[in-house]
Each structure stands twice: as C-alpha cells, then as structure tokens.
Amino acid sequence: EAQVTQNPRYLITVTGKKLTVTCSQNMNHEYMSWYRQDPGLGLRQIYYSMNVEVTDKGDVPEGYKVSRKEKRNFPLILESPSPNQTSLYFCASSSHEPGGPEQYFGPGTRLTVT
Amino acid sequence: GNSVTQMEGPVTLSEEAFLTINCTYTATGYPSLFWYVQYPGEGLQLLLKATKADDKGSNKGFEATYRKETTSFHLEKGSVQVSDSAVYFCALSTGAAGNKLTFGGGTRVLVKP
C-alpha cells in the first residue's frame, strides 16, 4: 500500500528539548515536504527536498532543520523547540512530474511545546 | 506571491443539501488547482484537481471548474451526506519549490442527518 508514515503521532515536550519527527514514504518519490497546519492559516510549507542531499527552505523555516540522506526518509528536527512551534505537522511526498502531481500526506504529528 | 482565499466556515448543512465552497486564487504563471479533504484525525487526501483553464475536476460527486477569467475554483456537490463532514482545503501549485502547495485557510463542513 502506498503510504507516508510519520512518528510520533502525538508529542508533548518542554521548551528547549531537542526532538525529531520522522517521515518515510514507500512510493520512491523524489519530492518531499514538511508543512505545519495552524487554525485559519491552512498548511504552510516549512522545508522541502527535491532529492537525496537536496533540501531548501519553504515559507516558514525558522527553528527547523531537515535532512535527506535516503530517498525514502525526510526527518524534521527541532533543535530548541519553543511554544510557538506548537502545531500539527504533516509530511508529504510527490513525484517530480510536471503539471501538479498528487501530493501524498502522512497522518500528522500533533506537537505541544510547553 | 501566490495566495488562495476560501470562504470561512463552519458550514452546516442538512443531508441531501447542495454544497458550494468558494475559492479564489492569485498566482504568477499557470498554476494547477486542487481540492484536498481532511477527515477528523486524518491527513489530507486529494479530492480533485484541474491543471489548465476550463478543466473540470470531479470525484465522489464533487466538482470544480478552473476559471481563469475569474481566478476561481469553487467546489460543489449536489447532495451531501453525513460522511462528507470534513475540512476542505483549496490549494494551488506552480510546480516550484518541490511542487509546493499554497493552501487556503480551510472550510469546515458539518452535515447533519
């Protein structure tokens, strides 16, 4: 089954404690992205990757890091989380075909930073 | 920059009612347009898409037509069911930034029996 998986699904942490949210896809997609979802704002792209070792900032990258060492994995790293990073996070992947291919989304990670 | 505006919810309807969710966009170039749906506790799923002007996307009884002249992509369904209760997102992509999707704020739809 084609899918994007994320772990953990729920996470409560304290300010400043480093954390990593994992993302993995089994569709051999070149493109992967991280989004955060906040009420009334829809989803906003944090970082994206167009292939292994190729990553770039999205619209809201401050306070986040990513890496793409393998094609299937794209972890999101918060080195020093702050309360304003409390949000619902989604990983997504797509092929590189032109014309707006479908993005496949993971189930989401709800993060609370106290 | 690119942006998407959609009507705020929540929208509350009775079963078998007609649903319209308005969506307008601003973009450079010729974007592809999408509707994604998010059921409670789940990730987003593609509902339908259109890649050029006058294209009509359709799926599960939902339809939307890419109107370049009015920069709109309104979602419609003729007879909603309780199972259509969800949050609906209008989005666009120009193919840049790894196929980045620019989303509207989402519209929550609640269908009552």
Side-chain angles (χ1 to χ4, degrees):
Chain A
E1 178 191 356
Q3 61 180 353
V4 178
T5 57
Q6 294 178 227
N7 283 291
R9 293 289 311 277
Y10 302 91
L11 181 58
I12 300 173
T13 190
V14 297
T15 299
K17 186 176 181 181
K18 181 179 179 179
L19 66 91
T20 299
V21 184
T22 64
C23 171
S24 184
Q25 50 95 5
N26 64 0
M27 294 165 280
N28 202 38
H29 284 162
E30 292 79 11
Y31 292 177
M32 298 185 75
S33 288
W34 276 101
Y35 293 84
R36 60 178 288 173
Q37 181 181 4
D38 300 291
L41 298 178
L43 283 76
R44 293 174 292 166
Q45 190 189 54
I46 302 170
Y47 267 94
Y48 67 96
S49 170
M50 295 172 72
N51 215 324
V52 175
E53 303 291 4
V54 180
T55 64
D56 208 344
K57 296 177 180 179
D59 295 322
V60 287
E62 294 76 21
Y64 304 95
K65 284 177 57 176
V66 294
S67 68
R68 187 97 180 267
K69 292 182 169 48
E70 303 167 284
K71 195 172 186 180
R72 63 184 291 123
N73 296 324
F74 190 45
L76 179 69
I77 303 156
L78 285 72
E79 295 213 322
S80 184
S82 62
N84 65 11
Q85 293 178 298
T86 293
S87 188
L88 181 56
Y89 291 86
F90 289 99
C91 181
S93 73
S94 71
S95 66
H96 67 284
E97 66 186 77
E102 178 177 358
Q103 298 250 353
Y104 291 80
F105 285 83
T109 295
R110 186 168 292 282
L111 172 65
T112 302
V113 184
T114 61
Chain B
N2 300 331
S3 67
V4 175
T5 302
Q6 62 181 104
M7 59 190 289
E8 291 189 24
V11 175
T12 303
L13 303 164
S14 297
E15 216 166 14
E16 299 184 3
F18 185 86
L19 171 67
T20 299
I21 304 176
N22 291 337
C23 171
T24 58
Y25 68 90
T26 302
T28 53
Y30 301 94
S32 295
L33 301 176
F34 305 83
W35 279 100
Y36 279 82
V37 59
Q38 184 179 32
Y39 298 104
E42 298 184 11
L44 279 73
Q45 304 173 22
L46 179 65
L47 181 59
L48 54 84
K49 74 174 189 180
T51 58
K52 60 183 188 296
D54 299 325
D55 268 2
K56 177 186 282 189
S58 61
N59 187 26
K60 298 182 180 180
F62 290 89
E63 292 184 342
T65 301
Y66 191 142
R67 301 287 189 201
K68 189 168 183 296
E69 64 277 11
T70 55
T71 62
S72 65
F73 193 54
H74 304 322
L75 182 68
E76 297 181 337
K77 186 174 185 182
S79 177
V80 293
Q81 306 300 313
V82 172
S83 57
D84 293 324
S85 298
V87 180
Y88 293 83
F89 291 93
C90 185
L92 68 82
S93 174
T94 61
N99 289 330
K100 180 182 80 170
L101 288 164
T102 298
F103 285 90
T107 302
R108 182 176 299 277
V109 173
L110 177 60
V111 181
K112 296 186 173 180

